[in-house]
Amino acid sequence: MVNNDVKQLKNMAENIQRKEELISKLNSSRELLKKYMDASCMPSYETFECKELKDYDNKNLPEYIEKMLGKPPVEGTPRFFETKKKMRKKYLEELKNYKDAIQRVAPNYYTAYSNEREQVKRKAYEEIQSYADRMNSYANEQKEMIQKYENEIKELNQIIEEFDLVKKQSKDVVHLNEIASFIEEGRADNLEEALYLSSFSDLFREVEKNMASLKQEMEKIHEKVNYLEDDVDDFDYEIEDMKKEFESINEEISGLQSGVNDAIDRADQAYDYAVSNG
């Protein structure tokens, strides 16, 4: 019976640990699914704008304009009998005419290079489409993994809920393995004694936790005392605060004592429960 109890306790601890691992994997898969789904969204070909096409136009459009119109006018140095003002006016007129010519010539570029531009855009779109297809495939894989994890977690939940060897509040990996170790190591002769010892272990852990917190509070008070040695003017005010803090700690200590009594009561209840269901 003892060996069977230990086996059940360890199996349940493994089930709980497995469930925790699956929940972690499930959350990771959900995050990946969202990432892949976002990456798989594709614009229509008509609204698709690609960097490759812009780079192509930035290189070839200026070359086409220069081929059709020549180089843009440059403001030169005034010649003999020309004033600087007159030279400036001439330059601005030439520049305006050149820009007007660009407006007339530029549309012809898109007609002349329509096939080349279409090839650049099509190639870029196919590449991003291939990437989106891969992301969609990864998303489908994650969907399958999510379904698998959810089904396994559901099955484990049912097994855990039906576990009545110990009380429901004992259903965590550390507690179950601890109860099993009490029996295996000979510290308890049966499940009833193991449950009783485990209840006290919970109590001691809680006391250690609270005592550590109280120790930190006491250290803070000592720091204030050291500070008061250099600040006598605020001594009375600080002493009053310290009194309040000491009163608060005394109340916490009283609460710990009450917790000890409660834990003993819980241990007795666990023992009675184990005996009645043993």
Side-chain angles (χ1 to χ4, degrees):
M1 177 63 181
V2 171
N3 291 335
N4 187 50
D5 288 342
V6 171
K7 183 178 180 180
Q8 289 188 58
L9 288 165
K10 287 192 169 184
N11 286 341
M12 187 52 56
E14 292 175 359
N15 287 336
I16 294 172
Q17 186 170 357
R18 173 60 179 166
K19 175 187 171 182
E20 293 173 352
E21 293 171 354
L22 287 171
I23 290 175
S24 177
K25 291 181 179 180
L26 176 61
N27 292 333
S28 296
S29 287
R30 284 172 174 167
E31 292 177 2
L32 287 174
L33 174 61
K34 184 180 184 305
K35 176 182 176 181
Y36 293 145
M37 290 295 290
D38 291 342
S40 66
C41 294
M42 280 289 297
S44 65
Y45 184 74
E46 290 73 18
T47 60
F48 174 64
E49 295 182 3
C50 60
K51 178 180 179 297
E52 291 80 359
L53 185 57
K54 290 181 180 179
D55 292 342
Y56 182 86
D57 288 339
N58 289 337
K59 176 180 181 299
N60 290 281
L61 179 57
E63 293 179 356
Y64 178 82
I65 291 173
E66 185 173 333
K67 178 181 178 182
M68 302 301 295
L69 302 177
K71 294 184 178 181
V74 179
E75 186 174 8
T77 304
R79 297 179 182 180
F80 189 66
F81 296 123
E82 285 185 327
T83 64
K84 187 175 182 180
K85 182 176 180 181
K86 184 178 180 181
M87 191 69 177
R88 177 68 177 173
K89 181 179 179 182
K90 180 180 178 182
Y91 163 72
L92 292 176
E93 289 177 352
E94 290 176 350
L95 183 61
K96 180 179 181 303
N97 292 334
Y98 189 84
K99 289 182 177 179
D100 291 342
I102 289 177
Q103 297 298 320
R104 294 192 302 271
V105 169
N108 297 333
Y109 159 81
Y110 295 99
T111 301
Y113 286 81
S114 60
N115 291 335
E116 291 84 351
R117 295 182 75 254
E118 179 67 17
Q119 290 177 6
V120 171
K121 182 177 180 180
R122 177 64 63 182
K123 181 180 178 181
Y125 189 80
E126 289 174 352
E127 289 178 355
I128 194 173
Q129 179 69 64
S130 175
Y131 174 78
D133 289 342
R134 292 199 303 274
M135 294 301 103
N136 189 56
S137 176
Y138 296 155
N140 289 333
E141 291 176 2
Q142 293 305 317
K143 288 179 182 178
E144 294 178 0
M145 294 302 296
I146 288 172
Q147 187 63 52
K148 176 184 176 182
Y149 293 149
E150 287 178 342
N151 290 340
E152 191 168 348
I153 290 172
K154 183 178 180 181
E155 293 175 0
L156 287 172
N157 280 335
Q158 185 174 355
I159 294 172
I160 294 170
E161 286 301 318
E162 293 174 354
F163 182 65
D164 291 327
L165 189 57
V166 293
K167 291 184 177 180
K168 288 186 176 180
Q169 55 264 38
S170 300
K171 291 180 180 177
D172 66 80
V173 175
V174 174
H175 200 171
L176 293 173
N177 282 326
E178 181 182 64
I179 296 171
S181 69
F182 288 154
I183 300 174
E184 282 187 310
E185 295 169 4
R187 298 168 63 185
D189 294 330
N190 50 51
L191 178 61
E192 293 81 9
E193 292 182 6
L195 286 169
Y196 195 73
L197 287 175
S198 181
S199 296
F200 278 103
S201 295
D202 290 341
L203 167 64
F204 294 144
R205 279 192 288 268
E206 186 66 23
V207 169
E208 287 177 357
K209 178 181 177 182
N210 289 326
M211 290 302 294
S213 177
L214 291 176
K215 182 180 178 181
Q216 291 179 351
E217 293 297 324
M218 293 297 292
E219 289 175 352
K220 290 179 181 178
I221 292 176
H222 285 303
E223 290 178 2
K224 288 185 178 181
V225 171
N226 294 333
Y227 174 78
L228 285 174
E229 291 178 355
D230 300 324
D231 195 357
V232 178
D233 291 337
D234 294 332
F235 185 76
D236 291 338
Y237 176 78
E238 293 290 344
I239 286 295
E240 188 64 29
D241 282 350
M242 289 169 58
K243 287 180 179 179
K244 292 179 180 179
E245 291 190 43
F246 274 117
E247 290 175 359
S248 176
I249 291 176
N250 284 332
E251 290 178 359
E252 291 189 44
I253 292 174
S254 297
L256 282 176
Q257 184 60 50
S258 177
V260 169
N261 295 334
D262 290 343
I264 293 174
D265 290 339
R266 290 199 305 271
D268 290 336
Q269 292 173 5
Y271 180 83
D272 293 339
Y273 176 86
V275 171
S276 63
N277 289 274

